[in-house]
Each structure stands twice: as structure tokens, then as C-alpha cells.
Amino acid sequence: MAILECKALSKRFGGIQALDNVDLTVEPGRVVGLLGPNGSGKTTMIKLANGLLTPSSGEILVDGKKPGKDTKAIVSYLPDKEYLPEWMTAKQMMDFFEDFYSDFRREKAMEMLARLGVSADMRIKQMSKGTREKVQLILVMSREARLYLLDEPIGGVDPATRDYILETIIRNYNPEAAVIISTHLIADVEQVLDDVIFINNGRVTLQSSVDDIRGEQGRSVDQYFREVFKC
Amino acid sequence: MEWEFRTDLPIYSQLVGKIKLDIVSGALPPGTRLASVRDMAMEAGVNPNTMQRALQELEREGLVYSQRTAGRFVTEDIRVIEENKRILARDQLDGFLKAMKELGYDREEIIALLKEEK
Amino acid sequence: MLGKLLKHELRATGRIMLPIYGATVILAILANLSIRLLDHEVGNLVRIFAVLIITVFAIAIIAAAIMTLVLMVKRFYSNYLRDEGYLMHTLPVDVHGLVWSKMIVSCIWFAGTFTVIALILALTGLFLTGTSLNEVFTAFPSWKEIIAAMHKEGIGGGDVALFIAEMITGVLLAGLTTCLHFYAAMALGHMFSKDKILLSIVFFVAISIVMNIAVTGYGAARLESFDHPLGSIEELRGLVNFVHGIIAEGLFIEIVRAAVMYAATVIGLKRGLNLA
């Protein structure tokens, strides 16, 4: 069964149509790129899947259910915001995740923190922006979730951090789970993706596999994307 | 850390090409046990599904085989390896000959040139 | 899950409230010593210093009370309506747990601050008047006499227990409605994409006005319908029952008020959530 399904999904903010009649499905075991320019509706879609927004019409289903308590237990979400309370330490954050998510694997998080050289007693406040982002990613990827929703994980990070993030995603690949990565930096993620979804002005314009696009177009998804979305 | 990929071909077929080259050149000798799909994917910096697809393609071509529990191995059938090597060599040769013909050389002249080249 | 939310919330707020209590107690001790010092012959500089400490103590008491209220507002705002909301609203808990955990912990600190301030002031009072605790306790027998006198008029222990229960319920409800008034205003104000804080203030005032009109209107209508004017109650028993009735009705109105604001908070957080 599809892990994420949108049926005629629309979301309006006042007069602005952020998502317009979106239909799509994502199957488990796939790494999917949600690709579109800034303001195309990527974040809106991810927020709807997390229950942080309510659809104006249509529906969005996670593992067959509307977003709520049950779906939140199987969705691991990395927002494009820093959400870690500054006063907490890395260890307290792990306690917190362990308390609320039964699929959180502490050993995994500890190992990744150690590899990054972050001490568990370090406060979020003391960490650099880049370290905070990595700690957030570690917490999110240390869950054995069914659906990972990563909103702009590589926006504004240096190349070394980008490699670290992509490597972490591959390392944690699980055939039972789907990963959705939203980004406008396609060249950087293209080779870790199975499928791509093109989104523009709130509409899904294409859902295809990376190698199908490369095979049919004879060029990379990035090049294809640039042509489709050229201003 | 990652392999470089051309933009005009599917990634999986480039993975097939790269691994095939490693096998026929002897970088991966016959009978070598391959790393797990996940590790190979990490090394190449690609999605595990893509690596899986590439390995299945190599399996179909008989260059690697898998044993249910032990993992994947490079074939020990030297004939298959040699045959693939020849196909790759012929591809190179075809390209070379085509380029030389465009330069205006005929077959005899090319052979003469090759003999000069030490 | 409510237990885990409470644990986390107590940890997050305790690290602020406990040091405030500690500082207030230390200032209270220093202030008491300063007051004593002023009774003796001391230099002007010491005198000024002593007065300064007493002033700071007075300010600290007010500050502790204000901080308790501010913390209640700030925790809800920053935890649920700002960036931390991305973490809190994606936990596998329902919105009721989110609201109740904040309310319960805020009420715990309301009670804590009240207790700390009351104790400090009482002890300071005893200390200044030179009253010993013994004297306080020996004052109790006269209370017993009052109760005995009340009993003679037909007001038994049951009534006293009921009055105490009514008082506790009232205080608790007051705590909850104080929280909910702020929560509802913020949750509604943050449904919009712009001017979230301004709109929260507008909602706060609007809720006050609507609630006042509703309660006053209800009170006026009720007053007219009294078939039992106050003047005609002669027996104490009757008066007591009448008062119980009035209190019960007041509590009921408070519960309705709380329920309306609770519903507004839940709707704002669930259907109207719109994190920036």
C-alpha cells in the first residue's frame, strides 16, 4: 500500500492557491525528490503530510490514514527550521525523542553524534548553526520511521555537510520506508533519488523515475528541470 | 568519495559500465566477493535501489552471481569475462575507427600508423 | 503521553521557576536582616544599602508573580506557535494533551508562587512583630469556638467541607481560565499569516469583552428571576443554602467560560495551525 497518497489535494491561504488539485502516490522503499522552485508548494505539501496544516479540499493520507496521532508516530520530519530548544543538551534531546517515539534508536544517534564529534552534554545553544542542523538530522534519521519527510535538507549548507547529509540518507536506507526530499538544488541530490516529482505553482507537473528521465531525455534531471522551469 | 557520472545517461547503466570495467580489467578478480548493496551504494554515492538494479543487470549478463546467504560474487567463468572484455574492446575500436575515418584515413593507413606507434 | 509531556514541561519551566523562588527566599532573608539593621545605630551608607535591599525584595516579590504569568504565556507561544512548534506539533500526541500539559504545569507554578510569597510574607510579618509560632498556634482555639458557635446555628462540618471544596474548585478554575484566556487569544491570532501578535492582542480583548457581556447579561437576567429576595431570608440555614446555590452557579459559569475558551484553543491549534 502507498505510504503517502494525495487525492485532489488543495490548500489556499487567503487568496493564494498554494496547492492546486494534487494527485500523487509514493510507495515504500523509494527515495523521492520533491522538486520545484521556491514558493512552488513543496513546504505546504510536506506540512500537510505532517498535520501542521489542514487541507482546504481533497485529502492527504499517510499509510492510509489522515494525519494525526497515529501517522505522526511513523513519520520522521526534518523541517527547514531550527526547532531544537536552545537550553537542551544533545542528550536531553535524545531522552525527549526516546520518550515520544518508540522507533527511536538511541545507539544509532549516539554513534552518529560521536562520528560527528558532538559531545552528548553539549547544549544546543553552544553549537554552531551547521552542527545544530546536523544534530537535527541525526535525531530524525535515528528513527526507524516508515516515511521520512526532509524539507530542504541541503539548502544553504557547505559541500562537506551536503555530502554528510546524503551519505546519512543512503546509510539509513530501509526498503520498508520511503524518503521524500524537497529541494530546488537538484544536481546535488539527483544520484540518490529513485523518483522525482516536479511541482510548480502548486501543481504537480511530472512524476517519473530519474533513470527514465535520463534515458528518455538523454540528459540529467537537473538539466531537464532547468528547461521546464526556465524563467 | 563519490563516483563521477555523465549527465546524458541513466545512472544505473553507468554503474553497470563502471563495475564491468573493474571486472574485465582485473580490479575485481574472478570469484571476488562484492560488498553489500548498501555499502557499494554509499561508496558510489548513489541510491541503493539504483545500485541494486545495476547489479541485477550484471547478474543477467552473467558477470556476477549471487548466493542466497553468502552475498554476491564476481563470476569465475573466465570465458564470460573474456567475452565481455572483447565487446568492450570492440566498442573502443569502433569509436577509434570512426574517428580516424572522419580524419580521412583508410584502413591501410591506420594500420601503418599503429605500427609506427610504439 | 500526557505524563511525558508534563515531565518535559516541568523540566523546561523548573529550570526558570526554581531559581526565581531561590532568589526570592534569599532576598527575603537579606531584607529581614536589613530591617533589623535599621533598628540599630548604623552609618548612612549601610542605611541606604539596607533600604535598597528591602526595595529590591519588594520588587522581587512582584517580579516573581509577574514572571509566573509571563512564563505561562511564553511557553505556550514559543513552544507551540513558533519554530519549536515544528517539533511539538509533530509528536504522536493529540492536541488535548498539548493544551492540558501546559495548563497543568502553569497552575502548579501559580500555586507554587502563591505559596512561596505567602510564606515569605507571613514569616516576615511574624519576624517583624516578634510573634513566635507558638503564639500563632495558641490563637487557634478561638477558631474552634467560632466553629462551635456556627454548629449551634445548624452549620455543620459538612458545610465547611463543602465551602472548602467550592473554594478550591474556584481557585483551580480561576487558574485554568487565566491560562485559557491567553491560550485561546494566541491560538486564534496565529491562525492568520500576518500580524499574528497584534491579532492575538485583539482576540484577547475581544474574548474579555464577549465574556463580560455574556456573564453580566446572564447575571442581570438571573437577578430579576430571583423569587427569593435576599431580605426575606431570616434563618441562617436558609442563607447558607442560598450561598451554596450562588457559588455552584458561579462555578458552573466559570466551567462554561473555560470550555468555550478551551474549544477555541483546540480549534486554533488543530484546524487553524499556521506556523511561519
Side-chain angles (χ1 to χ4, degrees):
Chain A
M1 190 176 63
I3 187 71
L4 180 73
E5 193 172 7
C6 302
K7 296 179 190 165
L9 180 68
S10 294
K11 178 69 187 177
R12 276 181 303 277
F13 294 103
I16 301 157
Q17 189 80 34
L19 276 187
D20 190 4
N21 211 21
V22 167
D23 287 292
L24 64 87
T25 52
V26 173
E27 301 292 332
R30 310 297 283 180
V31 181
V32 181
L34 183 60
L35 313 178
N38 286 326
S40 54
K42 303 188 295 285
T43 296
T44 301
M45 172 117 74
I46 287 181
K47 280 180 162 183
L48 284 162
N50 274 304
L52 290 173
L53 290 173
T54 314
S56 302
S57 64
E59 64 177 356
I60 184 162
L61 301 174
V62 174
D63 199 27
K65 296 187 219 57
K66 285 190 177 167
K69 205 173 149 180
D70 292 344
T71 68
K72 287 173 187 179
I74 58 165
V75 172
S76 196
Y77 169 46
L78 183 74
D80 64 342
K81 292 281 192 317
E82 278 182 30
Y83 65 38
L84 302 176
E86 288 206 323
W87 58 274
M88 289 176 87
T89 62
K91 182 180 168 300
Q92 285 172 325
M93 273 321 296
M94 285 191 280
D95 294 341
F96 186 90
F97 266 63
E98 204 167 32
D99 261 359
F100 287 101
Y101 298 112
S102 56
D103 60 5
F104 182 71
R105 299 288 168 263
R106 196 185 183 97
E107 330 76 62
K108 216 163 151 183
M110 299 271 280
E111 188 218 299
M112 284 198 266
L113 283 175
R115 257 187 332 123
L116 199 59
V118 175
S119 140
D121 296 321
M122 197 168 181
R123 289 197 186 280
I124 306 296
K125 203 196 211 55
Q126 300 167 307
M127 297 175 188
S128 69
K129 191 175 183 304
T131 306
R132 287 180 205 194
E133 283 170 348
K134 286 177 195 155
V135 169
Q136 219 160 271
L137 178 80
I138 287 174
L139 290 167
V140 166
M141 295 310 293
S142 296
R143 287 184 53 200
E144 283 175 7
R146 300 277 318 284
L147 177 61
Y148 297 85
L149 296 170
L150 314 177
D151 198 359
E152 292 282 0
I154 56 165
V157 303
D158 56 82
T161 307
R162 183 201 60 204
D163 285 351
Y164 176 82
I165 292 170
L166 296 179
E167 195 195 302
T168 305
I169 293 168
I170 299 173
R171 184 190 304 276
N172 289 288
Y173 174 80
N174 166 8
E176 308 285 300
V179 182
I180 297 180
I181 304 170
S182 99
T183 187
H184 60 280
L185 304 167
I186 296 155
D188 291 339
V189 293
E190 188 166 341
Q191 50 194 62
V192 309
L193 301 178
D194 287 304
D195 303 315
V196 292
I197 296 168
F198 280 12
I199 181 168
N200 195 23
N201 293 326
R203 287 167 185 268
V204 168
T205 55
L206 173 78
Q207 186 174 10
S208 176
S209 91
V210 170
D211 276 348
D212 282 354
I213 292 178
R214 284 173 162 248
E216 286 160 19
Q217 299 284 329
R219 54 190 161 163
S220 70
V221 174
D222 183 43
Q223 290 163 339
Y224 183 52
F225 178 87
R226 280 166 200 272
E227 188 199 289
V228 173
F229 290 111
K230 72 167 169 264
C231 329
Chain B
M1 74 157 221
E2 289 164 12
W3 298 357
E4 292 294 326
F5 294 99
R6 290 166 57 176
T7 57
D8 56 350
L9 284 173
I11 292 166
Y12 93 94
S13 58
Q14 297 184 57
L15 291 173
V16 170
K18 166 85 168 85
I19 299 168
K20 198 182 270 183
L21 192 63
D22 281 350
I23 292 174
V24 300
S25 70
L28 287 172
T32 311
R33 186 174 179 280
L34 295 175
S36 70
V37 173
R38 184 181 307 231
D39 287 347
M40 289 183 76
M42 292 240 319
E43 201 208 318
V46 301
N47 178 308
N49 288 322
T50 312
M51 183 57 81
Q52 173 79 17
R53 189 173 168 196
L55 289 170
Q56 277 167 352
E57 175 66 21
L58 288 166
E59 239 171 73
R60 214 176 49 75
E61 294 181 19
L63 279 163
V64 305
Y65 67 97
S66 58
Q67 271 182 344
R68 212 158 274 286
T69 49
R72 270 201 183 78
F73 298 85
V74 176
T75 182
E76 279 147 26
D77 190 339
I78 308 295
R79 279 181 315 159
V80 176
I81 295 176
E82 286 301 325
E83 193 189 315
N84 272 281
K85 193 170 183 171
R86 235 184 333 267
I87 293 170
L88 287 179
R90 185 138 296 151
D91 283 350
Q92 291 292 327
L93 217 49
D94 283 348
F96 169 72
L97 289 176
K98 208 175 146 213
M100 293 302 277
K101 282 204 178 102
E102 275 169 20
L103 285 175
Y105 288 97
D106 66 20
R107 210 177 157 76
E108 306 305 317
E109 287 169 324
I110 293 170
I111 293 170
L113 264 176
L114 276 174
K115 279 188 178 153
E116 271 172 44
E117 191 78 14
K118 282 293 163 206
Chain C
M1 284 294 182
L2 181 63
K4 289 171 183 170
L5 286 169
L6 287 172
K7 183 181 101 181
H8 174 68
E9 189 58 21
L10 275 173
R11 189 194 242 180
T13 49
R15 88 205 153 85
I16 296 168
M17 287 315 293
L18 296 179
I20 287 179
Y21 293 164
T24 314
V25 169
I26 290 170
L27 274 169
I29 294 168
L30 289 178
N32 275 303
L33 293 177
S34 303
I35 291 167
R36 271 287 161 86
L37 205 61
L38 289 177
D39 286 343
H40 297 77
E41 283 290 317
V42 286
N44 267 343
L45 205 65
V46 177
R47 207 161 267 278
I48 290 169
F49 192 65
V51 171
L52 202 69
I53 286 182
I54 296 165
T55 316
V56 170
F57 167 61
I59 293 172
I61 286 197
I62 298 166
I66 293 175
M67 263 310 291
T68 315
L69 201 67
V70 168
L71 189 66
M72 177 268 284
V73 174
K74 189 177 173 289
R75 282 296 298 168
F76 189 89
Y77 172 71
S78 63
N79 217 211
Y80 292 165
L81 299 170
R82 302 286 300 176
D83 286 355
E84 284 174 26
Y86 284 91
L87 176 64
M88 299 307 292
H89 290 295
T90 50
L91 295 176
V93 297
D94 58 27
V95 67
H96 300 285
L98 293 179
V99 178
W100 275 102
S101 62
K102 287 280 186 282
M103 263 195 310
I104 292 171
V105 170
S106 294
C107 286
I108 289 174
W109 295 120
F110 288 168
T113 304
F114 178 81
T115 310
V116 167
I117 292 178
L119 275 179
I120 285 174
L121 291 182
L123 291 177
T124 305
L126 292 180
F127 186 72
L128 287 184
T129 54
T131 322
S132 74
L133 278 178
N134 225 352
E135 286 172 77
V136 176
F137 285 124
T138 46
F140 265 107
S142 61
W143 292 31
K144 275 186 186 162
E145 282 165 31
I146 294 172
I147 291 171
M150 281 162 66
H151 197 70
K152 220 182 283 173
E153 298 289 344
I155 305 170
D159 276 310
V160 176
L162 193 54
F163 274 127
I164 290 174
E166 285 162 355
M167 198 180 75
I168 291 173
T169 315
V171 168
L172 222 61
L173 275 172
L176 296 183
T177 46
T178 306
C179 295
L180 285 170
H181 192 167
F182 284 97
Y183 293 172
M186 286 189 283
L188 294 176
H190 283 72
M191 289 170 65
F192 298 86
S193 301
K194 277 188 222 155
D195 304 321
K196 290 166 185 264
I197 292 179
L198 181 69
L199 284 164
S200 300
I201 297 169
V202 170
F203 272 111
F204 187 87
V205 175
I207 292 171
S208 306
I209 294 172
V210 170
M211 290 287 172
N212 276 335
I213 291 174
V215 172
T216 316
Y218 178 82
R222 250 340 240 111
L223 219 55
E224 270 176 30
S225 72
F226 273 147
D227 52 355
H228 197 72
L230 278 171
S232 73
I233 299 169
E234 265 132 39
E235 280 181 43
L236 193 53
R237 180 68 259 166
L239 182 64
V240 168
N241 287 344
F242 180 73
V243 171
H244 278 314
I246 296 272
I247 292 175
E249 205 167 329
L251 291 179
F252 178 72
I253 292 171
E254 275 300 286
I255 290 172
V256 172
R257 242 160 60 83
V260 169
M261 293 192 291
Y262 181 82
T265 308
V266 167
I267 290 168
L269 283 189
K270 205 173 176 183
R271 307 255 335 148
L273 191 65
N274 188 11
L275 295 175

